[in-house]
Amino acid sequence: IWADDNSVNLYAFDETFESSYQNYYDFEAGEWKERPVEERVAHREQFLVNKFDQIPTDGEAASNYLATAFEEFFEIIQQRHPASGLGLVYSGHGSGSGGLFANSIYPKDARKMFIGVTGKLDRKLDWFDLGGPCNEGQFEALINFAPFFQYVVASDLPNGGYSFDEWDFEKFKETKADYLYPELLGPDVDLLETMKIIQERRRLGYEYSLNTMIR
């Protein structure tokens, strides 16, 4: 959801994106290389699949609009990868007691969206990883999400505001779900075992941050 462009976009980042990304990001230093912002954006937009760019200004109308967009995104992904599981990983601010994406999608619209998606699939979605935002293991959120997923990962305690005692990109990859899911998921994978590994790696991330957490 790009606030600056007033749009919500679906991208498909394949191997060519990963290899070309080296030109824009210094993985060892964990920072952007000297490239104009416009150039980085143009590079990203080469991988655009679908775009909704008329998000209403009214909160309720915007919530319904975004829910419709994401329902269509799920359909596109399913059509492209019919034999794959479908999951959702979210690491931003909280979902607002059953809402989505810092409550950009209100709880009632999130529920309507998941009813639509699972109805078209005729099955549950596979997993929803809310392991990034704080306090998302609350009853309101779980009541809204649990009927539509095989597994939900969520903490009922604060889960942020810390950093590694010593920054190291390899440790970052070792503990970050965004990197772990592509590595661990595969055609013969046991999803539950994968999610257990990811939780163990999150715990390791806390250990790497022990002194910062204490401070």
Side-chain angles (χ1 to χ4, degrees):
I1 302 173
W2 300 117
D4 291 346
D5 295 334
N6 195 42
S7 68
V8 53
N9 299 5
L10 175 67
Y11 302 92
F13 298 122
D14 57 18
E15 296 80 8
T16 58
F17 177 83
E18 188 174 347
S19 58
S20 60
Y21 200 56
Q22 310 280 347
N23 297 323
Y24 294 87
Y25 196 76
D26 186 333
F27 288 97
E28 292 301 322
E31 60 188 26
W32 291 104
K33 293 181 179 179
E34 289 296 325
R35 294 282 193 283
V37 172
E38 296 78 10
E39 183 181 330
R40 298 204 303 264
V41 170
H43 176 247
R44 182 194 69 212
E45 291 304 304
Q46 296 176 47
F47 300 87
L48 182 69
V49 174
N50 198 4
K51 178 175 185 174
F52 286 74
D53 58 1
Q54 301 295 323
I55 302 175
T57 54
D58 174 74
E60 186 133 357
S63 168
N64 183 66
Y65 184 88
L66 290 170
T68 300
F70 275 93
E71 187 171 339
E72 184 166 318
F73 291 170
F74 271 108
E75 287 185 60
I76 292 170
I77 296 168
Q78 173 66 13
Q79 289 166 3
R80 288 187 169 212
H81 307 281
S84 293
L86 282 172
L88 185 60
V89 181
Y90 177 58
S91 300
H93 293 294
S95 341
S97 300
L100 291 170
F101 315 125
N103 217 34
S104 299
I105 300 178
Y106 294 170
K108 64 181 178 61
D109 290 322
R111 188 173 186 86
K112 185 171 71 173
M113 181 190 81
F114 287 133
I115 288 172
V117 171
T118 54
K120 289 169 185 171
L121 293 175
D122 196 28
R123 68 174 181 85
K124 289 185 176 186
L125 295 165
D126 293 277
W127 85 97
F128 191 5
D129 186 346
L130 281 158
C134 301
N135 306 79
E136 288 307 308
Q138 52 194 307
F139 284 119
E140 297 96 328
L142 295 180
I143 287 168
N144 220 31
F145 299 143
F148 308 107
F149 294 90
Q150 288 192 62
Y151 303 106
V152 177
V153 177
S155 172
D156 61 350
L157 298 173
N159 184 30
Y162 65 88
S163 58
F164 289 167
D165 297 337
E166 295 181 11
W167 169 256
D168 182 276
F169 184 64
E170 291 306 315
K171 289 181 179 178
F172 183 73
K173 287 199 301 182
E174 185 184 12
T175 58
K176 184 73 171 172
D178 295 0
Y179 289 93
L180 292 170
Y181 276 118
E183 280 186 28
L184 297 173
L185 289 175
D188 302 315
V189 71
D190 182 281
L191 179 58
L192 182 57
E193 289 306 310
T194 292
M195 298 181 73
K196 287 179 179 178
I197 292 170
I198 287 172
Q199 291 303 87
E200 280 299 306
R201 297 292 186 84
R202 279 199 174 102
R203 181 188 60 77
L204 188 60
Y206 300 151
E207 292 185 4
Y208 289 152
S209 312
L210 187 61
N211 292 324
T212 303
M213 285 181 161
I214 291 170
R215 285 198 301 273

